[in-house]
Amino acid sequence: MSPPLILASGSATRLALLHNAGLTVEAVPAAIDEAMVKESLRADGASAADVAQELAHLKAERVSRRLPGAMVLGADQMLDCGGTWFDKPATMAAAIGQLQALAGKSHKLITAVAIHRDGASIWTHRAVATLTMRQLTDAQIDAYLHQTGPGILSSVGAYHLEGYGVNLFERIDGDFFTILGLPLLPLLDFLRHHKLGLV
């Protein structure tokens, strides 16, 4: 039996994507102060894409050092709208503010992944999707958040594209899996070459 892939994340969405693709996966979240890393990298002039890649590396490296020989996947996603970075909203009021800021504009979701073994990077990949949100009134935003409830606070940008959130958008350019937080097709291609039990 092939050894399991280790996901250095507590993301239920990423774990489900990997399981649904037929992989044996164990989730071992990495203890990383993401806010501190983002603040430090931004102060150094890093781009949103650089931040996503660095966080993916840090997560994978941290866990891989604890699990010798394991193939560990780290992943991170950044939302960039005209140079403004968005994190998961902490409250429903913050979710309203994010949706008001994104409405009528295009933003980018940058997803980066890194695989480490024994603390060393063996593969990286990043992908970008561009999403254009409809113009939204405050009443439409309120109705949307009433429909979705506080579960939406788990998502940067305050939307789940795979659910009711698709109604917020007028155009999407990019891979669906990248938007969900994992560039799955290139990842599966890499894993096939490493015989992780895939067809």
Side-chain angles (χ1 to χ4, degrees), residues 140-175:
Q140 287 171 322
I141 290 173
D142 287 343
Y144 163 73
L145 291 175
H146 179 75
Q147 175 74 23
T148 57
I152 206 63
L153 302 181
S154 67
S155 179
V156 63
Y159 60 82
H160 292 142
L161 194 68
E162 67 273 30
Y164 193 68
V166 72
N167 291 286
L168 302 177
F169 292 90
E170 65 179 38
R171 182 179 175 86
I172 295 169
D173 296 297
D175 176 68

Side-chain angles (χ1 to χ4, degrees), residues 17-123:
L17 286 172
L18 294 167
H19 277 151
N20 291 342
L23 288 160
T24 302
V25 188
E26 294 177 12
V28 181
I32 300 287
D33 187 338
E34 294 189 31
M36 184 181 72
V37 172
K38 288 177 184 178
E39 184 177 337
S40 174
L41 289 172
R42 180 144 210 177
D44 288 341
S47 67
D50 292 337
V51 172
Q53 193 71 72
E54 181 63 20
L55 283 168
H57 275 300
L58 285 172
K59 294 172 186 178
E61 180 185 21
R62 181 73 53 89
V63 174
S64 72
R65 289 190 183 281
R66 291 166 32 205
L67 300 171
M71 192 174 288
V72 180
L73 171 65
D76 197 77
Q77 186 177 66
M78 293 285 291
L79 190 160
D80 185 337
C81 183
T84 299
W85 299 353
F86 288 74
D87 289 310
K88 295 173 184 176
T91 64
M92 293 301 276
I96 291 171
Q98 288 199 6
L99 292 169
Q100 288 172 333
L102 294 172
K105 299 175 186 172
S106 294
H107 65 266
K108 295 186 183 301
L109 283 177
I110 304 117
T111 300
V113 290
I115 293 182
H116 283 233
R117 182 184 281 144
D118 299 322
S121 173
I122 60 174
W123 185 74

